[in-house]
Each structure stands twice: as structure tokens, then as C-alpha cells.
Amino acid sequence: MKAPYQESQLYFTDEMRYGTRTHSRRRWTRQGHRPACPVKLGYEWGYLYVAICPFTGDMYAMFLSHLDKQCFTYFLQQLQLYLQQKGIDQALLMGDGATAHTAQHWPQQQLLQWQKLPTACPELNPVERFFEELRASTSNKVFADKQHVEDYLADLIRLHQQQPQLISSLTLFPYLSAVPT
């Protein structure tokens, strides 16, 4: 495997838990009035797996039921197929040190090389910034069931995928521009 990687071969990955529980955030109201916000306490959830290339704005996303080695392995297999269809023959995938990400459990493949980000530094992962946007869009909303949340998130993801420059503007952190190519 050659190194260093080109900018279009550098992907970051992470997972976001979503569900039917309403996430309340601040709301503006006139002084002296209490803001009204409908809330649902729900216990259905799933995980959104995402891989983003901050330089190109390319994003691959998938909804899965759990955050475990089996789901992460399946995500990697599908990501590898996606990258092969785009003509990328090798890529560097960076992410946190979650138990599901341990390299010894990865499927045998030649395309993806794993690099762990430093411990306890989520601010270094550009995918977290994308998740902030998704969470802001879903806050103060009540969803009837898990499928309704997934449909809403899928629409947001499609909207972002159609605008790669928007993904780049969210995720291309200044420290990444110092990466040698």
C-alpha cells in the first residue's frame, strides 16, 4: 500500500445514535413567556454509520441496528464496494478507538487501511461536525417511530450528498490542510 494518500483517499468515519426520544434545545420566546416544546420519551433507536472525505465532500452513510463489530464489519464491506465503484483502489479510513473499530476483527480486504484518532479527542473527527448539523435539524422534533426518524435523516443526508461543497465546508478542518499529499 502506498503512502501518503491523496486527499481524495482520506476518509473519516463515526457513528451517531438516533431515536424517537426528543432532544430539546433552546428556543427563543418573548420575555416572560415560557417556550412550549412537545416532547416524546421514546426508546427505539438505531445507529447512523457515516464515512466522509472532507476534501471532496464525498459521503457514504448507512443505517444499522447496533454499534458492534458485526455491524461495523458490514459497513466496511459496503463502504469498500462503494469506493471501488468510484474508482478508488485504496483509502485511509480514520476514526475513534471504539471497541467495534478494532482492526483485528476487520474483514480481509486490500482497499481500506485503518488509522485510529487520538483518544478522547472527538473534535478531531470531521464527521462529528456533520453530526452536529443533523442533531440541530432533529432537535425539538417529535417522531412517531424509528422509521420516521430514519426517513427524516435520509432526506437530510441526500440533501447534503447533492451538495458536496457543503459537506466540505462543514468538515474540512484547518488542521487537515496541513496534511502532506
Side-chain angles (χ1 to χ4, degrees):
M1 181 134 337
K2 70 178 182 180
Y5 296 89
Q6 295 177 2
E7 292 174 345
S8 62
Q9 296 171 315
L10 176 61
Y11 281 78
F12 289 84
T13 189
D14 208 355
E15 303 82 20
M16 179 183 89
R17 189 168 104 167
Y18 63 90
T20 56
R21 184 178 202 126
T22 304
H23 295 281
S24 299
R25 295 214 176 172
R26 293 183 178 173
R27 295 182 136 208
W28 290 94
T29 62
R30 291 185 322 195
Q31 186 175 356
H33 290 88
R34 181 169 282 211
C37 180
V39 174
K40 178 179 180 181
L41 297 178
Y43 297 99
E44 291 182 86
W45 61 81
Y47 290 87
L48 173 63
Y49 286 68
V50 173
I52 291 178
C53 176
F55 295 99
T56 64
D58 185 33
M59 176 175 54
Y60 180 75
M62 177 181 284
F63 295 106
L64 293 170
S65 60
H66 295 85
L67 175 57
D68 59 14
K69 292 176 181 140
Q70 292 82 15
C71 287
F72 188 67
T73 300
Y74 180 72
F75 173 73
L76 291 177
Q77 291 168 345
Q78 298 304 309
L79 176 61
Q80 182 172 323
L81 292 173
Y82 171 78
L83 293 175
Q84 286 173 339
Q85 289 174 350
K86 292 188 67 67
I88 298 174
D89 58 351
Q90 53 192 336
L92 179 62
L93 186 62
M94 299 183 77
D96 59 26
T99 306
H101 300 169
T102 53
Q104 64 264 29
H105 300 285
W106 280 38
Q108 294 296 328
Q109 28 86 8
Q110 303 298 320
L111 192 138
L112 295 172
Q113 184 70 28
W114 175 255
Q115 179 67 46
K116 185 180 144 202
L117 290 168
T119 305
C121 295
E123 66 276 3
L124 293 178
N125 193 341
V127 179
E128 292 289 348
R129 178 64 186 96
F130 175 69
F131 288 160
E132 283 179 31
E133 288 292 309
L134 293 182
R135 286 186 187 105
S137 297
T138 60
S139 67
N140 299 330
K141 291 190 178 15
V142 176
F143 297 101
D145 56 16
K146 185 177 150 185
Q147 186 61 47
H148 189 212
V149 181
E150 288 179 358
D151 292 343
Y152 186 82
L153 288 172
D155 289 341
L156 289 173
I157 290 167
R158 272 192 290 281
L159 203 107
H160 281 84
Q161 285 175 326
Q162 293 169 357
Q163 302 174 23
Q165 71 281 3
L166 178 60
I167 294 174
S168 286
S169 70
L170 288 172
T171 60
L172 189 54
F173 293 168
Y175 83 88
L176 291 175
S177 60
V179 173
T181 56

